[in-house]
Amino acid sequence: MNLRIPGPTPLPPSVLEAMSRPIINHRGPEFAAMLREVTARLREVFRTENDVLILTSSGTGGLEAATANLVSPGDKVLAASAGLFGDRLAAIAESFGAKVTKLDFPWGRAVDATALRRRLEVERDFKLVLVVHNETSTGVANDLAAIAEAVRSLGDDRPLLLVDAVSSLGAIELRTDEWGCDAVVTGSQKALMAPPGLALVSLSERAWRAAEKARAPRFYWDFRKAREYAQKGQTPFTPAIAALYGLREALRLMSEEGLDNIIARHRRIGRYTREGIKALGLRLFADEAHASDTVTAVRVPEGMDADGLLAKLREEHGVVLGGGQGPLRGKIFRIGHMGYVSEEDIEGVLEALRKVLKG
Amino acid sequence: MNLRIPGPTPLPPSVLEAMSRPIINHRGPEFAAMLREVTARLREVFRTENDVLILTSSGTGGLEAATANLVSPGDKVLAASAGLFGDRLAAIAESFGAKVTKLDFPWGRAVDATALRRRLEVERDFKLVLVVHNETSTGVANDLAAIAEAVRSLGDDRPLLLVDAVSSLGAIELRTDEWGCDAVVTGSQKALMAPPGLALVSLSERAWRAAEKARAPRFYWDFRKAREYAQKGQTPFTPAIAALYGLREALRLMSEEGLDNIIARHRRIGRYTREGIKALGLRLFADEAHASDTVTAVRVPEGMDADGLLAKLREEHGVVLGGGQGPLRGKIFRIGHMGYVSEEDIEGVLEALRKVLKG
């Protein structure tokens, strides 16, 4: 199977192999060494000196955790959204009692950093800004550098910036410290080439100060406990050990390839995918000026049944793509090209598409 | 290494192997078939006709999820506790704004079902009763049948019963439906012989009615979403797929052995462990009338350094045991004997202990 959904992604053979190692004591020295290695390597991928916490959950769990640690009921939150995952982030904050203002942009287009900045300048009491770096549902990579700059321009009493980097980190440039991202959340199962089951969260000093005071209920998600245990090489609760074996091996592979090379590879493959799609006579869904280098959304040709197309690709060609989500269901399909991916993998996707479209 | 902590537990070779299967689409037909098989097999282990939900988190995450779905801020909750995990369950409910009354019993002894019943009879407005089936921190198995009977005796307007079965389910008799347990939570990494990373939760119809009305904040933990997705063979968020591969294989092995045989094996090995410990001249920590068949807590002999003892066992004999937790740190050590365990494994533990104690 050529699994090219926007996550979970295929795993390199050595990562799959690593997951079969025997289980160890999560309170013992071998585990502590693994946690320290993984955390140090994650800091490089996050480009941060901050704490990076490892939670056993999906990426969404990591986003819920970050929210629960950063907001108190009644806090004003500004959520910039141009897709399903932007909406989800807003919904999480709402479920924790925050007063969420949505700043919506058309799906398929990017979040406008200038509009965000104007809003923040006139309404100065937002505690938190929510943004999705790479909108998996539409194939748009938001200009996080500009968005972070818009927030930072407000000075010392600016809101915190929480970034959903689930489908970007480790594939698309993200400079946590340089850009001043207070909380960055990703999952193990996308660009990081590891199995699903772990959420990874970096927190700035400003975020920690907020976490000390936040009043949203939390126990499993409590970052203070996570930091306390991390200092002794442990997690507060039994972690997904096999997933950590996989993540450690994947991070070693990433370190060998080099983060800049990985980002360049994704840029190359993103372009290759889009050019290939257009050469097939298909239309891209997203604004090409902000096209994502990890997910490409393609419009389903007029009169064609999306589910039938995806089933044919899977059954006749062993190619697994993602469908559209929410209002985009039936209107687009999505090709994931992140993590363990090469031009050849995408060539296989394009070739299968060509055959199915002709057939 | 002979890993005999009270979880995570060692995995059978075929379970380890299963975890190296390639990642699949969590929205595709192959995943749906796996989820249905795992859920059906879990129902047998839970001895329930109820829904069993699969969450990506540790067991504690499952307990937080159950709490968030069953309580609203201000609800009165009665937490029976005789150890660290009983206290933890109470703390989770407190963190979600419940008004928690603790019913404490001495550590090392069991929760007294009669005392619980008396309390519930005089104070009729508790919404929820919390109890740990097998108290991992002390090696005591509470008489859940009697506790559940005490709750059930209150009739139709009785509180809900939430059971932490993390270190019991699949090893110690637990009859979810027959006993009327409204929510039962366990983790994948203990008696179920699967890797850590999944929490499993069964919910009665009464629990579902409460979940529809509960006002605690939740998004990732929202059981309503989990049930909705389960009906189409999916989970709301990307699940720990490799852990599910492992769990499926482990449940197949359990089905081959038969649940009654598994429970009998644990009873036999529990007794074998306790007799072996006493034969070494060591003293059990727990009241033997309620000794757990999955965890044995042993008093550290007067004047002996517990950490040194555990380090020696690990370094010189490859035997990994658990230490005491909280106030029991340094006073006891704990032997896990659940899941993939035989008399020979425990013989190895006893033999190593004998050598270290003599040396």
Side-chain angles (χ1 to χ4, degrees):
Chain A
M1 279 288 174
N2 190 357
L3 181 69
R4 295 299 154 198
I5 57 174
T9 60
L11 305 184
S14 67
V15 173
L16 284 174
E17 219 170 275
M19 288 153 60
S20 286
R21 289 172 53 96
I23 295 293
I24 53 172
N25 181 5
H26 62 303
R27 306 276 178 233
E30 205 187 331
F31 181 84
M34 172 161 72
L35 196 66
R36 293 207 174 95
E37 176 184 344
V38 168
T39 306
R41 291 189 189 278
L42 283 173
R43 281 209 183 95
E44 290 172 23
V45 180
F46 277 77
R47 303 205 197 264
T48 188
E49 304 284 320
N50 291 333
D51 288 311
V52 178
L53 303 175
I54 300 174
L55 311 173
T56 293
S57 76
S58 81
T60 304
L63 293 166
E64 171 156 333
T67 306
N69 280 276
L70 296 181
V71 305
S72 298
D75 278 358
K76 282 185 65 178
V77 170
L78 185 62
S81 174
L84 188 93
F85 290 93
D87 286 359
R88 176 181 284 184
L89 203 45
I92 293 172
E94 246 159 25
S95 75
F96 276 82
K99 280 162 60 185
V100 178
T101 302
K102 285 283 295 298
L103 199 59
D104 284 308
F105 300 91
W107 290 31
R109 304 195 69 88
V111 166
D112 179 352
T114 310
L116 180 78
R117 182 178 188 149
R118 273 199 301 266
R119 184 60 181 259
L120 290 171
E121 279 170 352
V122 296
E123 211 170 329
R124 293 300 300 255
D125 54 349
F126 286 111
K127 289 277 176 57
L128 180 66
V129 173
L130 305 176
V131 71
V132 175
H133 186 191
N134 185 74
E135 180 51 74
T136 319
S137 67
T138 63
V140 166
N142 289 309
D143 184 350
L144 184 60
I147 291 167
E149 168 59 29
V151 176
R152 227 166 50 248
S153 72
L154 297 170
D156 284 349
D157 63 339
R158 66 186 184 275
L160 295 167
L161 176 60
L162 165 55
V163 179
D164 171 346
V166 172
S167 62
S168 67
L169 193 98
I172 299 174
E173 187 73 84
L174 197 174
R175 299 187 166 270
T176 299
D177 288 0
E178 196 180 314
W179 297 349
C181 302
D182 294 299
V184 176
V185 179
T186 196
S188 48
Q189 80 284 6
K190 306 256 181 180
L192 299 186
M193 308 191 296
L198 297 171
L200 314 156
V201 186
S202 80
L203 289 174
S204 71
E205 268 315 309
R206 298 178 71 231
W208 275 116
R209 285 198 293 275
E212 294 294 341
K213 283 181 282 182
R215 295 186 323 275
R218 59 199 187 275
F219 189 91
Y220 187 69
W221 298 136
D222 195 332
F223 286 163
R224 293 162 299 187
K225 267 200 293 267
R227 175 157 70 169
E228 183 193 322
Y229 275 81
Q231 278 156 3
K232 45 182 177 172
Q234 297 183 14
T235 55
F237 314 111
T238 315
I241 294 173
L244 263 169
Y245 288 148
L247 180 59
R248 175 175 59 180
E249 173 60 19
L251 288 168
R252 287 175 181 171
L253 295 176
M254 289 180 73
S255 172
E256 276 170 31
E257 187 177 355
L259 188 52
D260 290 331
N261 294 331
I262 292 172
I263 290 170
R265 171 166 58 83
H266 282 86
R267 202 175 301 131
R268 212 173 59 224
I269 293 178
R271 201 180 313 124
Y272 179 81
T273 308
R274 294 188 293 276
E275 293 309 320
I277 286 296
K278 289 191 284 186
L280 288 172
L282 292 167
R283 288 170 59 213
L284 300 171
F285 177 73
D287 176 5
E288 259 201 272
H290 298 280
S292 160
D293 286 330
T294 59
V295 187
T296 295
V298 183
R299 291 181 193 272
V300 176
E302 206 70 48
M304 187 174 284
D305 169 49
D307 287 344
L309 173 70
L310 294 177
K312 236 180 190 168
L313 284 166
R314 187 180 67 238
E315 286 155 20
E316 295 174 12
H317 301 278
V319 168
V320 184
L321 304 183
Q325 296 167 295
L328 293 176
R329 193 174 158 74
K331 296 188 180 152
I332 62 168
F333 63 88
R334 295 171 304 144
I335 306 168
H337 34 86
M338 63 188 124
Y340 187 51
V341 62
S342 67
E343 269 93 345
E344 290 68 48
D345 298 318
I346 299 304
E347 205 182 319
V349 171
L350 295 170
E351 185 56 23
L353 266 173
R354 196 181 57 75
K355 286 184 185 150
V356 168
L357 291 171
K358 278 205 172 164
Chain B
M1 279 288 174
N2 189 357
L3 181 68
R4 295 298 154 199
I5 57 174
T9 60
L11 305 184
S14 67
V15 172
L16 284 174
E17 219 171 275
M19 287 153 60
S20 286
R21 289 172 53 95
I23 295 293
I24 53 172
N25 181 5
H26 62 303
R27 305 277 178 231
E30 205 187 331
F31 181 84
M34 172 161 73
L35 195 66
R36 292 206 174 95
E37 176 183 344
V38 168
T39 306
R41 291 189 189 278
L42 283 172
R43 281 208 183 95
E44 290 172 24
V45 180
F46 277 78
R47 302 205 197 264
T48 188
E49 304 284 320
N50 291 333
D51 288 311
V52 178
L53 303 176
I54 301 174
L55 311 173
T56 293
S57 76
S58 81
T60 304
L63 293 166
E64 172 156 332
T67 306
N69 280 276
L70 296 181
V71 306
S72 298
D75 278 358
K76 283 186 64 178
V77 170
L78 185 63
S81 174
L84 188 92
F85 290 93
D87 286 359
R88 176 181 285 185
L89 203 45
I92 293 173
E94 247 159 25
S95 75
F96 276 82
K99 280 163 58 186
V100 178
T101 302
K102 286 282 297 297
L103 199 59
D104 284 308
F105 301 91
W107 290 31
R109 305 196 68 88
V111 166
D112 178 353
T114 310
L116 181 77
R117 182 177 188 148
R118 273 199 302 266
R119 184 61 182 259
L120 290 171
E121 279 170 352
V122 296
E123 210 170 331
R124 293 299 300 255
D125 54 349
F126 286 111
K127 289 276 175 55
L128 180 66
V129 173
L130 305 176
V131 71
V132 175
H133 186 191
N134 185 74
E135 181 50 74
T136 319
S137 67
T138 62
V140 166
N142 289 309
D143 185 350
L144 184 60
I147 291 167
E149 169 59 29
V151 176
R152 228 166 49 248
S153 72
L154 297 170
D156 284 348
D157 62 339
R158 66 187 184 274
L160 294 166
L161 176 61
L162 165 55
V163 179
D164 171 346
V166 171
S167 63
S168 67
L169 193 98
I172 299 175
E173 188 72 84
L174 196 174
R175 299 188 166 270
T176 300
D177 288 0
E178 196 180 315
W179 296 349
C181 303
D182 294 299
V184 176
V185 179
T186 195
S188 48
Q189 80 284 7
K190 306 256 180 179
L192 299 186
M193 308 192 295
L198 298 171
L200 314 156
V201 186
S202 80
L203 289 173
S204 71
E205 268 315 308
R206 297 178 72 231
W208 275 116
R209 285 198 293 275
E212 294 293 341
K213 284 181 282 181
R215 295 186 323 275
R218 59 200 188 276
F219 189 91
Y220 187 69
W221 299 136
D222 195 332
F223 286 164
R224 293 163 298 187
K225 266 200 294 267
R227 174 156 71 169
E228 183 193 322
Y229 275 81
Q231 278 157 2
K232 45 182 177 172
Q234 297 183 15
T235 54
F237 314 110
T238 314
I241 294 174
L244 263 169
Y245 289 148
L247 180 58
R248 175 174 59 179
E249 173 60 19
L251 288 167
R252 287 175 181 171
L253 296 176
M254 289 181 74
S255 172
E256 276 170 31
E257 187 177 356
L259 188 52
D260 290 331
N261 294 331
I262 293 172
I263 290 170
R265 170 166 58 84
H266 282 87
R267 203 175 301 131
R268 213 173 59 225
I269 293 178
R271 201 180 312 124
Y272 179 80
T273 308
R274 294 187 293 276
E275 293 309 321
I277 286 296
K278 289 190 285 186
L280 288 173
L282 292 167
R283 288 170 59 213
L284 300 171
F285 176 73
D287 176 5
E288 258 201 273
H290 297 280
S292 160
D293 286 330
T294 59
V295 186
T296 296
V298 183
R299 291 180 193 272
V300 176
E302 207 70 48
M304 187 175 285
D305 169 48
D307 287 344
L309 174 69
L310 294 177
K312 237 182 190 165
L313 284 166
R314 188 181 65 238
E315 286 154 21
E316 295 174 12
H317 301 277
V319 167
V320 184
L321 303 183
Q325 297 167 295
L328 293 176
R329 193 174 157 73
K331 297 188 179 152
I332 63 167
F333 62 88
R334 295 171 304 144
I335 306 168
H337 34 85
M338 63 188 124
Y340 187 52
V341 62
S342 67
E343 270 92 345
E344 290 68 47
D345 298 317
I346 300 304
E347 205 182 319
V349 171
L350 295 170
E351 185 56 23
L353 266 172
R354 197 181 56 75
K355 287 184 185 149
V356 168
L357 291 171
K358 278 204 172 165

